[in-house]
Structures are given as C-alpha cells and as structure tokens.
Amino acid sequence: MPAERPRRWPAFGVRARAAGAALIASALAFAVATPLVGHIVRVRLEHAALEQGWAAIADLEARVRAGAGGGEFQNYSYAVLDQDGRWLRSANLEDPRDADPALGLPPLPPGRFGTDSPHMLGTDLVTVRYPDGRAPHYRLPAAGPRTYRFLRKLTEPVTGARLAQLPPNGPRVDPANLPDQQLLLYVLVDPLTGDETADTLTRVLAHDVAPATSLFVALIAWLATGLALRPVESIRRQMAVVRGGAFHERVPVPRARDGIHRLARTTNDTLDRLQHALDEQRRLVADASHELRSPLAALRSSLEVPLAHPAAADWPTVVRGALTDAERLQDLADDLLLLARAERDTDRPDHPDRPVGTVDLHDLIAEQLAERQYGGRELAYESELGEAVLTGRETLPARLVRNLLDNAARHADGRVAVTLAVADGWARLTVEDDGPGIPAADRERVFERFVRLDDARDRHTGGAGLGLALVRTIAHSLGGTATAEPPDRLPGARLVVRLPTANAS
C-alpha cells in the first residue's frame, strides 16, 4: 500500500473550526466597516464644519461692517481683503504671497465689484490647492499637496470711517486711509476636526476594537459550539455503552427540534432495528438448532442401530431412511438460506447489483398448478388467473407461489382455489382451501418462523414451520404484503399476497 501523505495542516475539530470561522468573519467585517465608518464620520464632520463656516462668515460680515475690534475676530479662521486683493486683517490664516507670490486666496476681478454684483446676494464655496509643504496655517497638515475649502462673500459697501476702525493686523495695509469700498471676506472650512476624528476613530477601530472584538466573538463561538455539541457528546457516550454490549440502551433525545434531535431519533430507530435484527438472528439460530436436532437424532439412530447389529440389518431400507432424513436436512437448510437472502433484500427489483427484468406471475401459477394435477394427493384445483407482470427475477415469486400451494395442499380436504387479480398497479394473489382453517388468534402468528399449529405437529407432513414465514419475507422483499384473512370462497384457510406490478407508478 502507498504510504499515507503527511497532512500539511492539522485536523481541527468542530469547535475550533467554528471559532476560526467567527474570528475570520469578524475580522473581515471590521476590515470593511472601519474605512466605511471613518468615511461617514469625516463626511458628517465636514458637513458640520461647513455649517459652522456659514454662520461664521455671516457673523464676520456683521462685525466688519460695525468696525468691531480685533479681539472679537479670533473665534474662526478668516481673512478680510480690499478691492485690490490686499489683506486688511486675518486670524488663524497666513497670506501665502508673503512666501510665494503665485499663491493666495483668489481675488475677484475689478469688474465684479459693485452694489449690483450678484456676489452680494450669497456666499461662494471656493477651493484653493496648496502645494507640498504649504498650508493656510501652520496648524494645518502640510504633508503633500492638498485642497482647502473657503467660504467667500462680498460685503456691501463699507465707509472709510468704518474701515478706519479696523485696527491693523501686523505688517498689512493700514485701513485708516482707505476709501469707501466693498470688502472680500474669506472663512476657512476647518478640515482638522473631521480629519483628526476620522483618523483617530479608524485607528482605534483597526488597532484596538477589531482585534479585541474578533477574539471575543471567536471565544463566544467556541463556547456556544461547545454548548451546542453537548447533546452530541451525550449521544457518543451512550453509543459507547451500546457498543459495549448494552443493546437495549438508547441515546438521549434533546428537547429542541433541531438537527441533533433528528439525529438522536434516527439513531434510536436504527438501534431498534439492530436490536430487532439481533433478536431475530438469535431466535433463528436457537430455533434452527432445535429443528435440526430431530432429523439429526433420527439420522444418527437409523445408522447406529444397524451398525450395532450389521448381520440383521436391512441395509437398503437403512440407506433409504438415512437419505430421507438427509433430504429433510437439506430442505431445512435451503429454506433457512433462502429466508436469510430474502431478508437482506438482495433480489428486490430496485437493487443496484441485480439486472431488472419482468416475471409473468400468471404463467408461474399456471405451471405449478399443472404440475400438481399429476401424482400425489388427488385434489381439485380451481383457478381464476388475470395477467400480472412483476419486476424482478423469477426465483422468489416462484418460491412464494410454491409455498402457498404446498401449505394449501397440506391442509386441504379436497379443494384448493387460486385467484389472481390486478387493480391499481397491484397484483392480488389469493389461495384458499377447504381444510380446518386458521383460528383468528393465529392468523398473524402463522407467519412467524418455526410456528406450527396444533393440528400440524406431524413433522413428516407438517414441515419445519418456515413455509409461510418465507411467503411473508419474500412478499416484503418484493415490496408487497402477505396476510391471513377470514374464509370466503372455501371454509378453510385464506391467504392473500399483494405485490406491485411492473407498470405500477
């Protein structure tokens, strides 16, 4: 035999597989959910920052028009530009043109200013892209190029007196000498809150929550699977007891109507059938041993006596008697073998190892009735045979018919009636005789092995008690039934066998 290939991976149990599956499923769920949750949080916070920016630019416009002091402008990031694009003042923002003249907040063209400009009616959302290393303010991230959003609004004309009240903000334009004009306001939509919160949430979910939660889910799956498998373990322990010889024991059936419940019920049904088969086997061995003792004892005595007195023995008679006893033993052995074969259902039409054919049951019955017209007891056989075709081989149906006719001939006083009818896909074979009949209390018992009624105790004419047992076993193996019914046409026994026909649906 070729050597068994080594396993690359160890064989894990059900609990380990369930825990591993839960761990993987939880990890995959977090892998999908973490960036999605981070994105949703970032979008929500950016929307909240935008709403705050709308309120901030409206407040900034009101303060500029009122000439508010500089300390009141520190609540948000803003810039105030004149019509020439010069920064009048700002808070938390830097004018990038100080370092790079190509950068800066986009000014409005001179022709866009005026009291009739549409920019006075609303606020614009503009984007400004800063190169790598540059940002509107030192607190903002500057790793790589990034686009920032600003809310822009053109104010109504502000008088020079109001502009003069704006204190200068560092080295910028002195608002004291500016003429009346409209101002351009910019408020930064703060990206820090959304970015930092989303990044922190993503990091916590990925590095802390996901591993701990996945391990917790795996642990719960391990424990839950162990609890779910407790009934299976109980079934295994009980099966070990049954295997030790306690065939009467049964596995516990859990109360929950689930797959384990069905497994336990199926196991108990199988154990019931196995115990029944074992009991039948033991009874068959015991009954067969008992039945074999009589012909063996007769055969032995018929040989021992002549051997003790060989000179006075009639050896031809001795040999004929021994041959008769040997034939009885052979018939009994054949019946037992056929009974065992029929119980294994080896000749059923649907057996995968048997060729499927057809059997004309009416021809079988007619042939056996014709044979019985010659020799033996003088009995009158009456028959009404319809055409019935069975699926399978001829061996078992022929033996079934022979046993029924033998039983009727053995007990009949002079008449035997055979009827074969077909209806609804079933062949109904009825064999009746005018003998003493079968008492109602014994109509089921006559189909048991080695059962002979009181009037059939003669072992030379009564048989071994396997004939009707074979009839029922063969009928069951062919998918039918065999019963004893009350007398109808004749006053004696009435045996009825129902078999499915070849064209039955």
Side-chain angles (χ1 to χ4, degrees), residues 42-58 76 123-127 148-152 187-194:
R42 179 179 283 105
V43 170
R44 293 291 181 88
L45 292 178
E46 287 179 352
H47 181 71
L50 184 61
E51 291 182 347
Q52 293 176 0
W54 286 97
I57 200 167
Y76 33 80
T123 303
D124 297 334
L125 180 64
V126 297
T127 58
Y148 295 90
R149 298 186 302 167
F150 293 86
L151 288 174
R152 182 176 63 181
V187 172
L188 175 66
V189 179
D190 185 14
L192 284 179
T193 303

Side-chain angles (χ1 to χ4, degrees), residues 287-300:
D287 292 343
S289 301
H290 177 73
E291 293 296 327
L292 288 172
R293 289 179 62 184
S294 296
L296 286 175
L299 178 60
R300 180 174 180 175

